Short mmCIF file of all heavy atoms in Angstrom, two decimals:
data_model
loop_
_atom_site.label_atom_id
_atom_site.label_comp_id
_atom_site.label_asym_id
_atom_site.label_seq_id
_atom_site.Cartn_x
_atom_site.Cartn_y
_atom_site.Cartn_z
N LYS Z 326 -13.47 21.25 -7.64
CA LYS Z 326 -12.35 21.95 -7.00
C LYS Z 326 -12.70 22.29 -5.55
O LYS Z 326 -11.85 22.19 -4.66
CB LYS Z 326 -12.01 23.22 -7.78
CG LYS Z 326 -11.29 22.96 -9.09
CD LYS Z 326 -10.90 24.26 -9.76
CE LYS Z 326 -10.11 24.00 -11.04
NZ LYS Z 326 -9.72 25.28 -11.72
N GLU Z 327 -13.95 22.69 -5.31
CA GLU Z 327 -14.38 23.00 -3.95
C GLU Z 327 -14.34 21.76 -3.07
O GLU Z 327 -13.90 21.81 -1.91
CB GLU Z 327 -15.80 23.58 -4.00
CG GLU Z 327 -16.51 23.65 -2.65
CD GLU Z 327 -15.84 24.56 -1.65
OE1 GLU Z 327 -15.09 25.48 -2.08
OE2 GLU Z 327 -16.04 24.36 -0.45
N ILE Z 328 -14.78 20.62 -3.61
CA ILE Z 328 -14.76 19.37 -2.85
C ILE Z 328 -13.33 18.98 -2.47
O ILE Z 328 -13.04 18.67 -1.31
CB ILE Z 328 -15.44 18.24 -3.65
CG1 ILE Z 328 -16.95 18.47 -3.73
CG2 ILE Z 328 -15.14 16.87 -3.02
CD1 ILE Z 328 -17.68 17.48 -4.62
N MET Z 329 -12.41 19.04 -3.45
CA MET Z 329 -11.03 18.65 -3.17
C MET Z 329 -10.34 19.63 -2.23
O MET Z 329 -9.55 19.24 -1.36
CB MET Z 329 -10.24 18.53 -4.47
CG MET Z 329 -10.59 17.30 -5.30
SD MET Z 329 -10.54 15.75 -4.35
CE MET Z 329 -8.85 15.71 -3.79
N SER Z 330 -10.65 20.92 -2.36
CA SER Z 330 -10.07 21.91 -1.47
C SER Z 330 -10.50 21.66 -0.03
O SER Z 330 -9.68 21.69 0.90
CB SER Z 330 -10.49 23.31 -1.91
OG SER Z 330 -9.99 24.29 -1.03
N SER Z 331 -11.78 21.37 0.16
CA SER Z 331 -12.29 21.08 1.51
C SER Z 331 -11.71 19.77 2.03
O SER Z 331 -11.36 19.67 3.21
CB SER Z 331 -13.82 21.01 1.48
OG SER Z 331 -14.39 22.23 1.07
N PHE Z 332 -11.60 18.78 1.14
CA PHE Z 332 -11.06 17.49 1.57
C PHE Z 332 -9.64 17.64 2.09
O PHE Z 332 -9.30 17.14 3.17
CB PHE Z 332 -11.09 16.50 0.40
CG PHE Z 332 -10.56 15.13 0.75
CD1 PHE Z 332 -11.42 14.16 1.25
CD2 PHE Z 332 -9.22 14.82 0.62
CE1 PHE Z 332 -10.95 12.90 1.59
CE2 PHE Z 332 -8.73 13.57 0.96
CZ PHE Z 332 -9.60 12.61 1.45
N TRP Z 333 -8.78 18.35 1.36
CA TRP Z 333 -7.39 18.49 1.77
C TRP Z 333 -7.26 19.30 3.05
O TRP Z 333 -6.37 19.05 3.87
CB TRP Z 333 -6.56 19.12 0.65
CG TRP Z 333 -6.21 18.14 -0.42
CD1 TRP Z 333 -6.60 18.17 -1.72
CD2 TRP Z 333 -5.43 16.95 -0.28
NE1 TRP Z 333 -6.10 17.08 -2.41
CE2 TRP Z 333 -5.38 16.32 -1.55
CE3 TRP Z 333 -4.76 16.35 0.77
CZ2 TRP Z 333 -4.70 15.14 -1.78
CZ3 TRP Z 333 -4.07 15.16 0.55
CH2 TRP Z 333 -4.05 14.58 -0.71
N SER Z 334 -8.15 20.27 3.21
CA SER Z 334 -8.11 21.06 4.44
C SER Z 334 -8.43 20.19 5.66
O SER Z 334 -7.71 20.22 6.68
CB SER Z 334 -9.13 22.21 4.34
OG SER Z 334 -9.18 22.95 5.54
N PHE Z 335 -9.51 19.40 5.57
CA PHE Z 335 -9.87 18.50 6.67
C PHE Z 335 -8.83 17.40 6.84
O PHE Z 335 -8.52 16.98 7.97
CB PHE Z 335 -11.24 17.88 6.42
CG PHE Z 335 -12.37 18.87 6.39
CD1 PHE Z 335 -13.36 18.78 5.43
CD2 PHE Z 335 -12.44 19.90 7.32
CE1 PHE Z 335 -14.41 19.69 5.41
CE2 PHE Z 335 -13.49 20.82 7.30
CZ PHE Z 335 -14.47 20.71 6.34
N PHE Z 336 -8.31 16.91 5.73
CA PHE Z 336 -7.32 15.83 5.77
C PHE Z 336 -6.09 16.23 6.57
O PHE Z 336 -5.54 15.43 7.34
CB PHE Z 336 -6.93 15.45 4.34
CG PHE Z 336 -5.73 14.55 4.25
CD1 PHE Z 336 -5.84 13.19 4.47
CD2 PHE Z 336 -4.48 15.07 3.94
CE1 PHE Z 336 -4.73 12.36 4.39
CE2 PHE Z 336 -3.36 14.25 3.87
CZ PHE Z 336 -3.50 12.89 4.09
N SER Z 337 -5.63 17.47 6.40
CA SER Z 337 -4.45 17.94 7.13
C SER Z 337 -4.68 17.89 8.63
O SER Z 337 -3.82 17.42 9.40
CB SER Z 337 -4.09 19.36 6.69
OG SER Z 337 -3.73 19.40 5.32
N ASP Z 338 -5.86 18.36 9.07
CA ASP Z 338 -6.17 18.33 10.50
C ASP Z 338 -6.30 16.90 11.00
O ASP Z 338 -5.84 16.56 12.10
CB ASP Z 338 -7.48 19.09 10.77
CG ASP Z 338 -7.35 20.58 10.49
OD1 ASP Z 338 -6.21 21.09 10.53
OD2 ASP Z 338 -8.38 21.23 10.24
N ALA Z 339 -6.95 16.05 10.21
CA ALA Z 339 -7.16 14.66 10.61
C ALA Z 339 -5.83 13.92 10.72
O ALA Z 339 -5.61 13.15 11.67
CB ALA Z 339 -8.08 13.95 9.62
N SER Z 340 -4.94 14.12 9.77
CA SER Z 340 -3.64 13.44 9.79
C SER Z 340 -2.85 13.81 11.03
O SER Z 340 -2.22 12.96 11.67
CB SER Z 340 -2.84 13.81 8.53
OG SER Z 340 -3.48 13.36 7.37
N ALA Z 341 -2.88 15.10 11.38
CA ALA Z 341 -2.16 15.54 12.58
C ALA Z 341 -2.76 14.90 13.84
O ALA Z 341 -2.02 14.48 14.74
CB ALA Z 341 -2.22 17.06 12.69
N SER Z 342 -4.08 14.79 13.89
CA SER Z 342 -4.73 14.19 15.06
C SER Z 342 -4.43 12.71 15.18
O SER Z 342 -4.17 12.19 16.27
CB SER Z 342 -6.25 14.41 14.99
OG SER Z 342 -6.57 15.78 15.09
N LEU Z 343 -4.46 11.99 14.05
CA LEU Z 343 -4.24 10.55 14.08
C LEU Z 343 -2.80 10.18 14.43
O LEU Z 343 -2.52 9.02 14.76
CB LEU Z 343 -4.63 9.92 12.74
CG LEU Z 343 -6.12 9.96 12.39
CD1 LEU Z 343 -6.37 9.29 11.04
CD2 LEU Z 343 -6.96 9.29 13.47
N ARG Z 344 -1.89 11.13 14.32
CA ARG Z 344 -0.50 10.86 14.72
C ARG Z 344 -0.33 10.92 16.24
O ARG Z 344 0.71 10.50 16.76
CB ARG Z 344 0.45 11.87 14.05
CG ARG Z 344 0.72 11.58 12.58
CD ARG Z 344 1.93 12.36 12.08
NE ARG Z 344 1.65 13.79 12.06
CZ ARG Z 344 1.16 14.44 11.01
NH1 ARG Z 344 0.87 13.78 9.90
NH2 ARG Z 344 0.94 15.74 11.06
N THR Z 345 -1.34 11.41 16.94
CA THR Z 345 -1.28 11.46 18.40
C THR Z 345 -1.50 10.06 18.97
O THR Z 345 -2.45 9.38 18.59
CB THR Z 345 -2.37 12.41 18.95
OG1 THR Z 345 -2.21 13.70 18.36
CG2 THR Z 345 -2.26 12.51 20.47
N PRO Z 346 -0.63 9.56 19.84
CA PRO Z 346 -0.79 8.21 20.40
C PRO Z 346 -2.16 8.03 21.04
O PRO Z 346 -2.62 8.87 21.82
CB PRO Z 346 0.33 8.14 21.45
CG PRO Z 346 1.36 9.11 20.98
CD PRO Z 346 0.60 10.23 20.34
N GLY Z 347 -2.82 6.93 20.69
CA GLY Z 347 -4.11 6.60 21.26
C GLY Z 347 -5.30 7.15 20.49
O GLY Z 347 -6.44 6.73 20.73
N VAL Z 348 -5.07 8.07 19.55
CA VAL Z 348 -6.17 8.64 18.76
C VAL Z 348 -6.37 7.80 17.51
O VAL Z 348 -5.45 7.62 16.71
CB VAL Z 348 -5.88 10.10 18.37
CG1 VAL Z 348 -6.99 10.65 17.46
CG2 VAL Z 348 -5.74 10.97 19.60
N THR Z 349 -7.57 7.27 17.32
CA THR Z 349 -7.88 6.42 16.17
C THR Z 349 -9.00 6.97 15.30
O THR Z 349 -9.26 6.45 14.23
CB THR Z 349 -8.25 5.00 16.61
OG1 THR Z 349 -9.40 5.07 17.48
CG2 THR Z 349 -7.10 4.33 17.35
N GLU Z 350 -9.68 8.02 15.76
CA GLU Z 350 -10.79 8.59 14.99
C GLU Z 350 -10.73 10.11 15.05
O GLU Z 350 -10.26 10.70 16.03
CB GLU Z 350 -12.14 8.10 15.52
CG GLU Z 350 -12.28 6.59 15.54
CD GLU Z 350 -13.54 6.10 14.85
OE1 GLU Z 350 -14.19 6.86 14.12
OE2 GLU Z 350 -13.88 4.92 15.07
N PHE Z 351 -11.22 10.73 13.97
CA PHE Z 351 -11.30 12.18 13.89
C PHE Z 351 -12.57 12.53 13.14
O PHE Z 351 -12.88 11.91 12.11
CB PHE Z 351 -10.08 12.75 13.15
CG PHE Z 351 -10.17 14.23 12.85
CD1 PHE Z 351 -9.66 15.15 13.73
CD2 PHE Z 351 -10.77 14.69 11.68
CE1 PHE Z 351 -9.73 16.51 13.47
CE2 PHE Z 351 -10.85 16.04 11.40
CZ PHE Z 351 -10.33 16.96 12.30
N SER Z 352 -13.32 13.51 13.63
CA SER Z 352 -14.56 13.88 12.97
C SER Z 352 -14.78 15.38 13.08
O SER Z 352 -14.48 15.99 14.12
CB SER Z 352 -15.75 13.13 13.59
OG SER Z 352 -16.92 13.31 12.81
N ILE Z 353 -15.29 15.97 12.00
CA ILE Z 353 -15.60 17.40 12.01
C ILE Z 353 -16.77 17.66 11.07
O ILE Z 353 -16.90 17.00 10.02
CB ILE Z 353 -14.37 18.24 11.58
CG1 ILE Z 353 -14.65 19.74 11.75
CG2 ILE Z 353 -13.94 17.93 10.16
CD1 ILE Z 353 -13.43 20.62 11.54
N CYS Z 354 -17.62 18.58 11.45
CA CYS Z 354 -18.76 18.98 10.63
C CYS Z 354 -18.67 20.49 10.42
O CYS Z 354 -18.64 21.25 11.40
CB CYS Z 354 -20.07 18.59 11.30
SG CYS Z 354 -21.52 18.94 10.30
N GLN Z 355 -18.61 20.90 9.16
CA GLN Z 355 -18.46 22.33 8.86
C GLN Z 355 -19.21 22.67 7.59
O GLN Z 355 -18.99 22.05 6.54
CB GLN Z 355 -16.97 22.67 8.71
CG GLN Z 355 -16.69 24.15 8.45
CD GLN Z 355 -15.20 24.44 8.42
OE1 GLN Z 355 -14.46 24.05 9.33
NE2 GLN Z 355 -14.76 25.12 7.38
N ASP Z 356 -20.11 23.65 7.68
CA ASP Z 356 -20.94 24.06 6.54
C ASP Z 356 -21.69 22.85 5.99
O ASP Z 356 -22.36 22.16 6.72
CB ASP Z 356 -20.09 24.75 5.47
CG ASP Z 356 -19.41 26.01 6.00
OD1 ASP Z 356 -20.02 26.67 6.86
OD2 ASP Z 356 -18.29 26.30 5.58
N GLN Z 357 -21.51 22.56 4.70
CA GLN Z 357 -22.26 21.45 4.09
C GLN Z 357 -21.49 20.14 4.11
O GLN Z 357 -21.91 19.15 3.50
CB GLN Z 357 -22.64 21.78 2.63
CG GLN Z 357 -21.47 21.81 1.63
CD GLN Z 357 -20.88 23.19 1.47
OE1 GLN Z 357 -20.78 23.94 2.45
NE2 GLN Z 357 -20.51 23.52 0.25
N TYR Z 358 -20.34 20.11 4.81
CA TYR Z 358 -19.49 18.93 4.78
C TYR Z 358 -19.38 18.26 6.15
O TYR Z 358 -19.34 18.93 7.19
CB TYR Z 358 -18.08 19.28 4.30
CG TYR Z 358 -18.03 19.84 2.90
CD1 TYR Z 358 -17.57 21.14 2.66
CD2 TYR Z 358 -18.46 19.08 1.81
CE1 TYR Z 358 -17.53 21.65 1.38
CE2 TYR Z 358 -18.42 19.59 0.52
CZ TYR Z 358 -17.95 20.88 0.31
OH TYR Z 358 -17.92 21.38 -0.95
N ARG Z 359 -19.32 16.94 6.12
CA ARG Z 359 -19.01 16.13 7.30
C ARG Z 359 -17.80 15.27 6.94
O ARG Z 359 -17.83 14.52 5.96
CB ARG Z 359 -20.19 15.25 7.69
CG ARG Z 359 -19.99 14.51 9.02
CD ARG Z 359 -21.18 13.62 9.33
NE ARG Z 359 -22.42 14.37 9.42
CZ ARG Z 359 -22.82 15.04 10.50
NH1 ARG Z 359 -22.07 15.04 11.57
NH2 ARG Z 359 -23.96 15.71 10.50
N PHE Z 360 -16.73 15.39 7.73
CA PHE Z 360 -15.49 14.67 7.43
C PHE Z 360 -15.18 13.73 8.59
O PHE Z 360 -15.26 14.12 9.75
CB PHE Z 360 -14.34 15.65 7.23
CG PHE Z 360 -13.05 15.00 6.80
CD1 PHE Z 360 -12.75 14.82 5.45
CD2 PHE Z 360 -12.11 14.58 7.74
CE1 PHE Z 360 -11.55 14.23 5.06
CE2 PHE Z 360 -10.92 13.99 7.36
CZ PHE Z 360 -10.65 13.82 6.01
N HIS Z 361 -14.82 12.49 8.24
CA HIS Z 361 -14.48 11.52 9.28
C HIS Z 361 -13.24 10.74 8.84
O HIS Z 361 -13.10 10.36 7.67
CB HIS Z 361 -15.63 10.54 9.52
CG HIS Z 361 -15.50 9.78 10.80
ND1 HIS Z 361 -15.95 10.25 12.01
CD2 HIS Z 361 -14.94 8.56 11.06
CE1 HIS Z 361 -15.68 9.37 12.96
NE2 HIS Z 361 -15.07 8.34 12.41
N ALA Z 362 -12.34 10.50 9.79
CA ALA Z 362 -11.13 9.72 9.53
C ALA Z 362 -11.02 8.62 10.58
O ALA Z 362 -11.38 8.82 11.74
CB ALA Z 362 -9.90 10.61 9.58
N ARG Z 363 -10.52 7.47 10.14
CA ARG Z 363 -10.38 6.34 11.06
C ARG Z 363 -9.07 5.61 10.78
O ARG Z 363 -8.68 5.39 9.63
CB ARG Z 363 -11.54 5.36 10.88
CG ARG Z 363 -11.40 4.07 11.70
CD ARG Z 363 -12.56 3.13 11.47
NE ARG Z 363 -13.81 3.70 12.00
CZ ARG Z 363 -14.99 3.11 11.86
NH1 ARG Z 363 -15.11 1.98 11.21
NH2 ARG Z 363 -16.07 3.68 12.38
N SER Z 364 -8.39 5.24 11.87
CA SER Z 364 -7.19 4.42 11.78
C SER Z 364 -7.50 3.08 12.44
O SER Z 364 -7.87 3.02 13.62
CB SER Z 364 -6.02 5.10 12.50
OG SER Z 364 -4.86 4.29 12.48
N GLU Z 365 -7.35 2.02 11.66
CA GLU Z 365 -7.69 0.68 12.15
C GLU Z 365 -6.58 -0.29 11.75
O GLU Z 365 -6.55 -0.78 10.62
CB GLU Z 365 -9.03 0.24 11.56
CG GLU Z 365 -9.57 -1.07 12.10
CD GLU Z 365 -10.95 -1.40 11.53
OE1 GLU Z 365 -11.85 -0.56 11.67
OE2 GLU Z 365 -11.11 -2.50 10.95
N GLY Z 366 -5.67 -0.56 12.64
CA GLY Z 366 -4.52 -1.42 12.30
C GLY Z 366 -3.65 -0.74 11.26
O GLY Z 366 -3.18 0.40 11.47
N VAL Z 367 -3.43 -1.40 10.14
CA VAL Z 367 -2.60 -0.83 9.06
C VAL Z 367 -3.43 0.03 8.11
O VAL Z 367 -2.90 0.61 7.17
CB VAL Z 367 -1.90 -1.94 8.26
CG1 VAL Z 367 -0.97 -2.73 9.14
CG2 VAL Z 367 -2.91 -2.86 7.57
N HIS Z 368 -4.74 0.11 8.36
CA HIS Z 368 -5.64 0.81 7.44
C HIS Z 368 -5.97 2.21 7.96
O HIS Z 368 -6.32 2.39 9.13
CB HIS Z 368 -6.94 0.03 7.27
CG HIS Z 368 -6.73 -1.41 6.91
ND1 HIS Z 368 -6.39 -1.82 5.64
CD2 HIS Z 368 -6.80 -2.54 7.67
CE1 HIS Z 368 -6.27 -3.13 5.62
NE2 HIS Z 368 -6.51 -3.59 6.84
N LYS Z 369 -5.86 3.19 7.05
CA LYS Z 369 -6.29 4.55 7.35
C LYS Z 369 -7.29 4.98 6.29
O LYS Z 369 -7.03 4.82 5.09
CB LYS Z 369 -5.10 5.51 7.40
CG LYS Z 369 -4.23 5.35 8.64
CD LYS Z 369 -3.23 6.49 8.78
CE LYS Z 369 -2.44 6.36 10.08
NZ LYS Z 369 -1.52 7.50 10.28
N LEU Z 370 -8.41 5.54 6.75
CA LEU Z 370 -9.49 5.90 5.83
C LEU Z 370 -9.95 7.32 6.15
O LEU Z 370 -10.23 7.65 7.31
CB LEU Z 370 -10.65 4.92 5.97
CG LEU Z 370 -11.86 5.14 5.05
CD1 LEU Z 370 -11.46 4.98 3.58
CD2 LEU Z 370 -12.97 4.16 5.40
N PHE Z 371 -10.02 8.16 5.11
CA PHE Z 371 -10.45 9.55 5.25
C PHE Z 371 -11.64 9.75 4.29
O PHE Z 371 -11.52 9.50 3.08
CB PHE Z 371 -9.33 10.51 4.87
CG PHE Z 371 -8.04 10.28 5.63
CD1 PHE Z 371 -7.13 9.31 5.20
CD2 PHE Z 371 -7.74 11.00 6.77
CE1 PHE Z 371 -5.94 9.09 5.87
CE2 PHE Z 371 -6.55 10.79 7.46
CZ PHE Z 371 -5.65 9.83 7.02
N VAL Z 372 -12.77 10.22 4.82
CA VAL Z 372 -14.00 10.28 4.02
C VAL Z 372 -14.67 11.64 4.19
O VAL Z 372 -14.87 12.12 5.33
CB VAL Z 372 -14.99 9.17 4.42
CG1 VAL Z 372 -16.26 9.25 3.56
CG2 VAL Z 372 -14.34 7.79 4.27
N LEU Z 373 -15.03 12.27 3.07
CA LEU Z 373 -15.79 13.52 3.06
C LEU Z 373 -17.22 13.22 2.63
O LEU Z 373 -17.44 12.63 1.56
CB LEU Z 373 -15.15 14.52 2.10
CG LEU Z 373 -15.81 15.90 2.02
CD1 LEU Z 373 -15.64 16.66 3.32
CD2 LEU Z 373 -15.25 16.70 0.85
N MET Z 374 -18.19 13.63 3.45
CA MET Z 374 -19.60 13.34 3.19
C MET Z 374 -20.42 14.63 3.20
O MET Z 374 -19.94 15.68 3.63
CB MET Z 374 -20.14 12.37 4.25
CG MET Z 374 -19.49 11.00 4.23
SD MET Z 374 -19.74 10.04 5.76
CE MET Z 374 -18.44 10.71 6.80
N SER Z 375 -21.64 14.52 2.74
CA SER Z 375 -22.57 15.65 2.72
C SER Z 375 -23.39 15.65 4.01
O SER Z 375 -23.95 14.63 4.41
CB SER Z 375 -23.51 15.55 1.52
OG SER Z 375 -24.58 16.45 1.64
N THR Z 376 -23.47 16.81 4.69
CA THR Z 376 -24.25 16.89 5.92
C THR Z 376 -25.75 16.73 5.65
O THR Z 376 -26.49 16.30 6.53
CB THR Z 376 -24.01 18.24 6.62
OG1 THR Z 376 -24.27 19.31 5.69
CG2 THR Z 376 -22.59 18.34 7.13
N GLU Z 377 -26.17 17.08 4.43
CA GLU Z 377 -27.59 16.94 4.09
C GLU Z 377 -28.01 15.48 4.01
O GLU Z 377 -29.16 15.14 4.28
CB GLU Z 377 -27.90 17.63 2.76
CG GLU Z 377 -27.73 19.15 2.80
CD GLU Z 377 -28.09 19.78 1.46
OE1 GLU Z 377 -28.40 19.02 0.50
OE2 GLU Z 377 -28.06 21.02 1.37
N ALA Z 378 -27.07 14.61 3.65
CA ALA Z 378 -27.40 13.20 3.44
C ALA Z 378 -26.96 12.29 4.57
O ALA Z 378 -27.41 11.13 4.64
CB ALA Z 378 -26.78 12.72 2.12
N VAL Z 379 -26.10 12.77 5.45
CA VAL Z 379 -25.52 11.90 6.48
C VAL Z 379 -25.63 12.56 7.85
O VAL Z 379 -25.23 13.71 8.03
CB VAL Z 379 -24.04 11.59 6.17
CG1 VAL Z 379 -23.44 10.73 7.27
CG2 VAL Z 379 -23.90 10.90 4.83
N THR Z 380 -26.14 11.82 8.81
CA THR Z 380 -26.15 12.27 10.20
C THR Z 380 -24.96 11.66 10.93
O THR Z 380 -24.34 10.70 10.45
CB THR Z 380 -27.45 11.84 10.91
OG1 THR Z 380 -27.50 10.40 10.98
CG2 THR Z 380 -28.67 12.34 10.14
N SER Z 381 -24.66 12.18 12.10
CA SER Z 381 -23.53 11.67 12.87
C SER Z 381 -23.73 10.21 13.27
O SER Z 381 -22.76 9.45 13.37
CB SER Z 381 -23.29 12.53 14.11
OG SER Z 381 -24.46 12.56 14.92
N GLU Z 382 -25.00 9.81 13.47
CA GLU Z 382 -25.29 8.42 13.84
C GLU Z 382 -25.02 7.46 12.69
O GLU Z 382 -24.73 6.27 12.92
CB GLU Z 382 -26.76 8.28 14.28
CG GLU Z 382 -27.10 8.96 15.59
CD GLU Z 382 -27.26 10.47 15.44
OE1 GLU Z 382 -27.36 10.93 14.27
OE2 GLU Z 382 -27.27 11.17 16.47
N GLN Z 383 -25.08 7.92 11.46
CA GLN Z 383 -24.87 7.05 10.30
C GLN Z 383 -23.40 6.86 9.96
O GLN Z 383 -23.04 5.94 9.22
CB GLN Z 383 -25.60 7.63 9.08
CG GLN Z 383 -27.11 7.63 9.19
CD GLN Z 383 -27.76 8.37 8.03
OE1 GLN Z 383 -27.44 9.52 7.74
NE2 GLN Z 383 -28.67 7.68 7.35
N VAL Z 384 -22.55 7.74 10.48
CA VAL Z 384 -21.14 7.72 10.09
C VAL Z 384 -20.45 6.39 10.37
O VAL Z 384 -19.75 5.85 9.49
CB VAL Z 384 -20.38 8.89 10.76
CG1 VAL Z 384 -18.88 8.73 10.58
CG2 VAL Z 384 -20.83 10.21 10.18
#
Side-chain angles (χ1 to χ4, degrees):
K326 286 184 177 180
E327 166 64 23
I328 289 174
M329 287 309 301
S330 177
S331 299
F332 181 89
W333 282 116
S334 177
F335 296 138
F336 168 80
S337 296
D338 293 337
S340 296
S342 294
L343 293 181
R344 283 195 293 269
T345 304
V348 176
T349 59
E350 303 232 14
F351 172 92
S352 190
I353 187 172
C354 184
Q355 182 176 310
D356 299 327
Q357 71 268 38
Y358 298 118
R359 187 182 301 278
F360 185 90
H361 196 86
R363 174 181 293 176
S364 178
E365 186 176 305
V367 298
H368 309 283
K369 287 191 176 183
L370 182 62
F371 306 84
V372 181
L373 182 68
M374 296 162 277
S375 167
T376 54
E377 294 182 356
V379 178
T380 65
S381 58
E382 291 77 14
Q383 293 173 307
V384 169

